[in-house]
Amino acid sequence: MQATTKKPTYVTAPSLCDLDNYTKLLRQVWDSGILTHNGPLVRKLESELCRELGVKNMVSAVNGTVALQLPLKAFKLRGEVITTPFSWVATCSSIFWENCTPVFVDIDPLTFNIDPSKIEDAITHKTCAIMPVHVFSNPCDVEAIDTLASQKGLKVIYDAAHAMFVDYKGKSILDYGDVSATSFHATKIFNTGEGGACITTDDDLHEQLKRIRFFGHDDNKVIVEDGCNGKMTEIHAALGLTNLPLMQEVLDYRRSIYNLYLKELKPIDKITFQQIIPESYNYSYMPIVLDSEERLLTIDKKLKAQNVFARRYFYPSLNTVKSIGQYTAMPHSENISSRILCLPSHSQLDLEEAYRIASIVKDCF
Ligand code: T4K
């Protein structure tokens, strides 16, 4: 097939505020000269997000990976952290950076989240925490995980990088576990360019996370614990504050794209979808699972020929990555990982283009 001259369509694009609104806020930064160190816009972003999400405490961070590291540091964890092989590599690298070892537990092949019924068998005397991922914003079985963790005396740090603006059983999904860590990366549903945050209901832990983010300093700049530099800048916070009012529109639009793809592709029995709870999902990704890797490669090639760039999130399954550790079979994760493709979904994707993409996919059957 011949490549078209059409503008490329990427898997995602950042939802961006009006540039003039952003520069208006940047004027304040220029006038004050305060660029970082827990400045007024960072604090404002944290409090506005807490209000919007209905959560008590938030500590913003330089990115989502550091947001995962901050609680590992706060709890002074050493040993094994149980996690999922079906994730972005940052889940594992945050564990390694904090001198712990990831131990994989396979996923549920329907929800793509860690299978809670398999966690207990993976617990050893070295286990110190569980780090599950709400994959594509789909809530983990938080009741089962949190109950098991408290019985075994383990910390739970949810990797909620995808899970902004998701409520589950009457509260934000970010309010479960000891801490949730989310990402505000450019490719996420809410973005500050780079950024992330820790969310916890524990006020003391919240204060401690703030200190760790700021070199371990207390309010008087006395070093009271082992910290790092995990601070968000005012420039990033300004972008977040200007993007925030767009969120309802962004969420609604992503949902309509998801439903369009679903309607078009559901009749094809060789395509399956993540099992989700429709009211507890932010529709930031559009994952489809094909009947074989061969089919996936064919579809991906056909899309690329039409200037459409889907992405294999998450591929490869992390248990197969040599630098992460010795291989242990994770059949469900490896299987889903080899057949899953995320189709373009973002605010700048018009519905007509989504129809066209769905048609290219359909033509491969
Ligand atoms: N845990 C989980 C479960 C995660 O998924 C992630 C990150 C983390 C933790 C860590 O959070 P952070 O430390 O990143 O805050 C992206 C992101 O870099 C990464 O944040 C994300 N997960 C991961 C799933 O995907 P790529 O490899 O897709 O980026 P890239 O450059 O290929 O971009 C994809 C498409 O997006 C491009 O084709 C065009 C568009 N794009 C991208 C960027 C960066 C834009 O339009 N503008 C942009 O600025 O990694």
Side-chain angles (χ1 to χ4, degrees):
M1 198 182 290
Q2 205 148 36
T4 65
T5 50
K6 205 173 180 305
K7 227 174 113 208
T9 298
Y10 295 111
V11 65
T12 193
S15 299
L16 284 173
C17 56
D18 182 83
L19 183 59
D20 289 340
N21 290 345
Y22 182 47
T23 51
K24 261 183 223 152
L25 202 49
L26 286 182
R27 169 57 56 200
Q28 279 185 34
V29 179
W30 259 242
D31 288 347
S32 71
I34 300 294
L35 301 189
T36 185
H37 283 194
N38 203 22
L41 296 184
V42 162
R43 281 178 277 133
K44 188 165 184 221
L45 179 65
E46 289 170 346
S47 74
E48 289 203 4
L49 281 172
C50 280
R51 198 192 60 231
E52 289 293 321
L53 299 165
V55 299
K56 194 173 173 201
N57 299 307
M58 176 177 289
V59 179
S60 62
V62 68
N63 58 46
T65 309
V66 166
L68 285 167
Q69 289 177 232
L70 294 174
L72 288 165
K73 214 180 247 310
F75 296 135
K76 299 183 173 50
L77 297 177
R78 284 292 175 274
E80 296 173 351
V81 177
I82 292 175
T83 189
T84 168
F86 190 68
S87 187
W88 189 246
V89 67
T91 313
C92 274
S93 49
S94 68
I95 295 170
F96 282 127
W97 272 79
E98 295 309 320
N99 298 308
C100 293
T101 308
V103 170
F104 294 123
V105 164
D106 207 358
I107 56 166
D108 176 316
L110 300 178
T111 65
F112 309 163
N113 288 331
I114 195 166
D115 183 343
S117 70
K118 296 195 175 123
I119 294 178
E120 189 157 5
D121 282 350
I123 296 174
T124 70
H125 67 283
K126 292 185 190 154
T127 310
C128 54
I130 309 174
M131 187 181 281
V133 179
H134 303 301
V135 174
F136 306 135
S137 85
N138 201 23
C140 291
D141 186 344
V142 286
E143 287 92 352
I145 293 168
D146 292 359
T147 304
L148 179 66
S150 67
Q151 281 165 0
K152 302 284 179 184
L154 303 174
K155 297 292 181 194
V156 182
I157 299 160
Y158 283 107
D159 180 335
H162 303 176
M164 283 291 282
F165 298 97
V166 172
D167 285 344
Y168 178 71
K169 300 208 169 161
K171 61 178 185 178
S172 169
I173 192 65
L174 305 174
D175 253 354
Y176 291 86
D178 293 288
V179 177
S180 291
T182 191
S183 166
F184 306 149
H185 183 261
T187 57
K188 299 297 188 298
I189 192 124
F190 168 76
N191 88 84
T192 58
E194 290 276 359
C198 297
I199 293 91
T200 177
T201 53
D202 180 331
D203 295 336
D204 293 336
L205 179 60
H206 175 233
E207 291 304 319
Q208 189 190 3
L209 290 167
K210 281 203 282 186
R211 291 193 296 271
I212 294 173
R213 172 184 72 173
F214 203 167
F215 309 111
H217 283 157
D218 68 8
D219 289 342
N220 300 315
K221 294 265 169 87
V222 177
I223 304 160
V224 290
E225 56 194 309
D226 181 29
C228 65
N229 182 355
K231 292 168 268 109
M232 177 181 275
T233 73
E234 293 289 281
I235 316 284
H236 292 85
L239 183 57
L241 282 165
T242 330
N243 281 337
L244 189 54
L246 307 178
M247 277 319 297
Q248 194 52 55
E249 203 183 314
V250 169
L251 290 162
D252 291 344
Y253 193 64
R254 295 278 181 117
R255 191 187 188 113
S256 63
I257 291 176
Y258 185 97
N259 286 331
L260 182 154
Y261 278 128
L262 192 65
K263 185 162 164 278
E264 293 298 303
L265 300 177
K266 212 171 178 182
I268 298 169
D269 61 5
K270 291 186 168 63
I271 299 181
T272 50
F273 301 88
Q274 183 181 27
Q275 182 183 291
I276 62 164
I277 307 163
E279 64 278 14
S280 296
Y281 199 63
N282 65 19
Y283 301 90
S284 47
Y285 294 85
M286 182 61 228
I288 60 170
V289 181
L290 289 316
D291 53 334
S292 67
E293 185 167 25
E294 197 186 350
R295 178 101 59 192
L296 177 147
L297 295 173
T298 305
I299 292 175
D300 200 28
K301 198 170 158 194
K302 288 248 164 77
L303 289 170
K304 284 197 173 100
Q306 295 290 325
N307 245 347
V308 175
F309 298 90
R311 272 302 287 269
R312 299 184 74 178
Y313 295 134
F314 298 111
Y315 175 84
S317 181
L318 295 175
N319 62 306
T320 66
V321 176
K322 278 207 182 77
S323 61
I324 288 180
Q326 214 186 340
Y327 173 75
T328 315
M330 295 283 142
H332 291 313
S333 178
E334 289 169 48
N335 182 11
I336 296 293
S337 180
S338 70
R339 296 186 290 119
I340 194 163
L341 190 66
C342 285
L343 299 178
S345 173
H346 53 84
S347 305
Q348 288 146 50
L349 181 79
D350 59 48
L351 297 182
E352 213 173 282
E353 177 67 350
Y355 268 119
R356 188 179 77 95
I357 294 168
S359 304
I360 301 170
V361 173
K362 283 201 271 187
D363 285 349
C364 296
F365 291 88

